[in-house]
Amino acid sequence: MSAITTVETIKQCIIDAAIGNNSDKYFDTGLSAIRILLETHCCYRCCLRFLNARDLDLYALSEQELNSLFSQLLEQKNDEKDFVCTACVGALQYAETFVDDIGKRLEEENYQTKNINLTCTLPIGLLSRDRLLQFYLSDMLKMDKLIESPRDPKEPFKFIIAGQIKDKFGVELWNNGPLRMTVVTEHEPTAQEHMFLTQVEKPVLKVRTKRRKGKVQIWGDSRATVAEALKALKNTEARSLTTIPPAPQTIKATLSSVQLVHDAAFVGGKGGRYLKNSREYSQTPWSIRGKKLAENSVSECICETLKKHYRADDLSMRLSGRENGNSKKNAKSLIIVLLSLFPDYKFVSSGREDANVRMLGTGRPFYCELINPHRVTFEKDELAAMQDEINSLPTKDDVQLRDLAAIKQTDTKTIKEGEEFKRKTYRALVWVSSPVTNEIIDKVNKAGSQPFKIQQNTPARVFQRRAGIIREKEIHFCKVAKPANVREDTKEETEKHFAVVTMNTQAGTYIKEFIHGDLGRTQPNFASLAGVQAADLIELDVTNVDLEWPPQK
């Protein structure tokens, strides 16, 4: 865009701003407004904001370029240098100066993606300063009504930052970008300027203070509340409580923080399933009051390796760094508790087996959601190498992984929906109060050859955490046989009391309670089908989870 064209664009912005009481003099009144803003030490970018200029390319011009362009319109030259803008306290005026530090943070974290979703937080003092300058301009121009609110500085700020980091570091601004970057600026001298709003006749802003660790903290002055209070503020009240125009500043806004968080990565796979051959592993870390009840878990065996390759957040490492010599035991307990409340990954499976139940057959479908991964794209051979690494760990005899692959977030609903509709096949070693005869076997097999319904009251073992209701579940088939290692003519009386039960059931069926009856809370149960006094579960295996995972495209 040439200088002449740009001057014409600014000129049209001045006219479109419609400042003043006379439409024939909008341009002249607009120029007067600019002169007033410059006299109060406002930067040219903020002048554009008070004109409500929509063309973001204008804000991307440097202050020197804008000075030259506005000088042509004002027919005067503004030689003021190195001042701090009264309106934006330098946040928008010197936006380019933040770019190198932002880029340094990006390089430190070394995310794989080049698409960024940028948000920003500017000093809260800008809210009240914009409002007070509105009052000042309206009074100085003797307007019948308050001039229109200036443009929010966040959009121009984001536009400038985005353009600079694209040119310098090769990253693109994208509203749906997987990497969320939050740039926070602050200006300590004006951080409490809005507190005069608590002194108006009918205050919208009502704050309370708390002293914590020797410091006074203020509650109730959120940006939304401050903005609402400013909207209700009257010119006369503002003049009686604070300075209009706002006092000039000598200290620039500073970069407070650059927060980077990547969208979660979902790892599961086409038929992605795990197998558990041990009866001593919980599915996920199991602890009560900081004490682990199972030494190992399936999710830790799988996800710790995935976290390493995806370079995802590791909460345990960050917390471990805070230990000291006198409190290592307490710190370890704290880590266990915090990881249970705020894990650095989510391990989600199609149902779960108890720690003493094996998961055999084709395995259980699952996916792992990794938090803030720095790398998200892998080739098939790289994922295969991860799977081989997991299957070569010291836990390889207990936990195995198959067909690991990346999935989309939309695929995860299949596992959640499967909680209601999938079928599972079990094999159980059962003790029966009476010797297992062919008559008992035939009786159970006949009853279980056709699907049948059972009524399950909430099991006694989970009653403290589940609603006390009766659930109707379907047993699709139930077969019983004598254990393969027990001979028909065995004379060992104890061996005659064991049976192997194979069953296929609806999702959510309590298998243990179906076997032993749960003091009559499950009807019918295995004992009632067999016509014996009692039965109990010795060992249980899951042999199949009937779920297509992930769904066919």
Side-chain angles (χ1 to χ4, degrees):
M1 186 183 294
S2 67
I4 296 175
T5 307
T6 307
V7 168
E8 290 300 317
T9 302
I10 296 174
K11 184 175 180 180
Q12 190 60 48
C13 288
I14 296 171
I15 296 171
D16 292 342
I19 299 174
N21 302 320
N22 189 338
S23 59
D24 294 332
K25 296 184 178 181
Y26 280 163
F27 179 69
D28 292 336
T29 309
L31 289 178
S32 297
I34 293 168
R35 290 189 183 96
I36 293 169
L37 289 169
L38 293 174
E39 288 170 1
T40 57
H41 305 286
C42 288
C43 68
Y44 285 107
R45 285 172 176 164
C46 283
C47 289
L48 289 171
R49 288 200 303 116
F50 276 88
L51 294 174
N52 269 286
R54 311 316 300 169
D55 188 348
L56 289 171
D57 287 327
L58 291 176
Y59 295 92
L61 297 172
S62 68
E63 281 291 298
Q64 292 77 13
E65 290 173 312
L66 289 171
N67 184 6
S68 175
L69 294 168
F70 273 97
S71 295
Q72 296 179 48
L73 292 170
L74 296 170
E75 298 180 354
Q76 68 180 55
K77 193 170 183 180
N78 182 13
D79 294 324
E80 188 174 12
K81 296 180 180 179
D82 298 328
F83 68 99
V84 177
C85 175
T86 300
C88 69
V89 294
L92 182 59
Q93 179 185 14
Y94 298 107
E96 298 92 339
T97 62
F98 302 131
V99 171
D100 286 342
D101 287 335
I102 293 171
K104 183 180 178 181
R105 183 88 168 88
L106 280 169
E107 290 177 340
E108 286 173 354
E109 292 295 330
N110 191 25
Y111 284 92
Q112 183 187 44
T113 184
K114 294 296 182 181
N115 296 319
I116 291 179
N117 180 355
L118 175 63
T119 59
C120 64
T121 301
L122 300 182
I124 193 170
L126 272 61
L127 296 175
S128 58
R129 287 180 162 257
D130 276 358
R131 185 64 167 171
L132 297 178
L133 283 167
Q134 267 186 282
F135 291 147
Y136 183 65
L137 276 176
S138 300
D139 289 346
M140 293 296 289
L141 297 172
K142 296 180 171 54
M143 292 180 59
D144 298 332
K145 61 180 180 180
L146 195 64
I147 68 166
E148 188 177 346
S149 298
R151 182 172 188 174
D152 188 332
K154 286 198 295 186
E155 284 304 314
F157 181 86
K158 285 173 57 176
F159 186 78
I160 295 167
I161 295 293
Q164 293 275 328
I165 62 175
K166 178 183 177 181
D167 293 340
K168 289 188 175 183
F169 304 101
V171 296
E172 296 274 358
L173 181 66
W174 187 28
N175 288 339
N176 294 319
L179 179 59
R180 299 188 299 278
M181 179 168 69
T182 303
V183 176
V184 181
T185 60
E186 64 181 4
H187 189 252
E188 190 61 32
T190 60
Q192 301 298 320
E193 279 190 346
H194 59 278
M195 296 305 291
F196 76 89
L197 294 167
T198 61
Q199 303 171 32
V200 300
E201 186 177 350
K202 296 179 180 179
V204 174
L205 183 65
K206 299 175 182 179
V207 300
R208 53 193 177 91
T209 59
K210 275 188 178 182
R211 183 173 289 277
R212 181 174 294 178
K213 294 182 180 180
K215 294 182 179 180
V216 176
Q217 296 181 337
I218 299 175
W219 302 79
D221 62 338
S222 67
R223 288 175 180 271
T225 306
V226 171
E228 186 180 352
L230 287 167
K231 189 175 180 180
L233 180 65
K234 297 177 181 177
N235 193 338
T236 53
E237 280 189 304
R239 288 189 172 279
S240 66
L241 295 171
T242 188
T243 304
I244 296 181
Q249 297 295 306
T250 57
I251 299 174
K252 302 175 185 177
T254 57
L255 184 64
S256 174
S257 65
V258 179
Q259 301 161 13
L260 295 166
V261 179
H262 198 287
D263 284 351
F266 293 85
V267 188
K270 188 173 183 179
R273 297 166 182 256
Y274 71 83
L275 292 90
K276 183 177 72 134
N277 301 312
S278 170
R279 299 191 188 278
E280 297 179 352
Y281 280 59
S282 59
Q283 189 185 76
T284 53
W286 183 20
S287 63
I288 295 179
R289 296 177 182 175
K291 182 178 180 181
K292 295 185 75 171
L293 301 184
E295 187 64 28
N296 298 300
S297 70
V298 173
S299 64
E300 289 173 308
C301 293
I302 296 172
C303 296
E304 291 301 320
T305 298
L306 296 179
K307 274 171 49 184
K308 177 183 71 174
H309 288 281
Y310 279 75
R311 292 168 43 224
D313 269 3
D314 193 331
L315 179 61
S316 61
M317 291 294 291
R318 294 199 302 271
L319 292 172
S320 297
R322 298 180 184 180
E323 294 180 13
N324 58 56
N326 299 323
S327 60
K328 285 189 176 181
K329 184 177 180 180
N330 292 336
K332 186 176 181 180
S333 297
L334 175 64
I335 291 170
I336 293 172
V337 172
L338 287 177
L339 282 173
S340 66
L341 295 173
F342 310 105
D344 23 34
Y345 56 80
K346 289 182 183 178
F347 186 85
V348 182
S349 63
S350 181
R352 66 167 57 228
E353 70 282 342
D354 290 341
N356 62 354
V357 176
R358 295 187 300 180
M359 181 65 241
L360 307 177
T362 57
R364 187 182 294 277
F366 79 96
Y367 72 82
C368 181
E369 180 182 345
L370 299 171
I371 308 302
N372 193 25
H374 288 52
R375 184 183 177 189
V376 293
T377 304
F378 293 87
E379 300 296 333
K380 287 184 179 180
D381 59 339
E382 291 178 299
L383 288 168
M386 284 185 221
Q387 176 176 300
D388 291 343
E389 181 179 343
I390 292 169
N391 290 339
S392 301
L393 293 172
T395 57
K396 63 183 179 181
D397 293 333
D398 300 316
V399 176
Q400 285 282 303
L401 183 63
R402 51 179 293 176
D403 301 325
L404 181 69
I407 62 171
K408 296 179 180 179
Q409 184 174 3
T410 52
D411 292 332
T412 62
K413 65 180 181 181
T414 302
I415 279 187
K416 296 173 184 176
E417 291 170 353
E419 292 291 332
E420 294 294 326
F421 305 110
K422 69 179 183 294
R423 293 166 58 166
K424 292 190 285 187
T425 304
Y426 298 88
R427 182 179 64 223
L429 178 63
V430 177
W431 175 88
V432 183
S433 58
S434 301
V436 179
T437 62
N438 289 334
E439 181 183 357
I440 288 176
I441 292 173
D442 292 341
K443 189 174 183 178
V444 174
N445 287 346
K446 182 178 179 180
S449 63
Q450 298 292 329
F452 60 92
K453 304 280 188 180
I454 63 172
Q455 308 294 320
Q456 292 197 300
N457 206 330
T458 302
R461 65 187 171 97
V462 299
F463 201 81
Q464 76 277 11
R465 63 178 188 272
R466 296 285 173 86
I469 60 175
I470 295 176
R471 299 169 176 85
E472 183 179 81
K473 297 296 179 180
E474 185 170 11
I475 307 295
H476 299 288
F477 68 78
C478 180
K479 299 176 182 178
V480 64
K482 292 181 181 180
N485 60 350
V486 176
R487 293 172 11 191
E488 287 286 338
D489 58 349
T490 182
K491 294 183 179 179
E492 289 290 336
E493 187 64 26
T494 55
E495 290 183 356
K496 297 179 182 179
H497 288 260
F498 291 97
V500 174
V501 180
T502 303
M503 70 200 88
N504 182 272
T505 71
Q506 178 185 348
T509 304
Y510 290 105
I511 301 302
K512 293 180 178 179
E513 282 66 27
F514 170 70
I515 296 296
H516 59 62
D518 196 26
L519 303 175
R521 298 168 68 83
T522 292
Q523 294 292 341
N525 53 60
F526 180 79
S528 65
L529 292 177
V532 298
Q533 185 177 0
D536 202 4
L537 181 68
I538 305 302
E539 290 181 346
L540 180 65
D541 296 329
V542 185
T543 59
N544 185 53
V545 178
D546 185 14
L547 181 69
E548 184 180 287
W549 174 246
Q552 294 296 320
K553 305 302 181 186

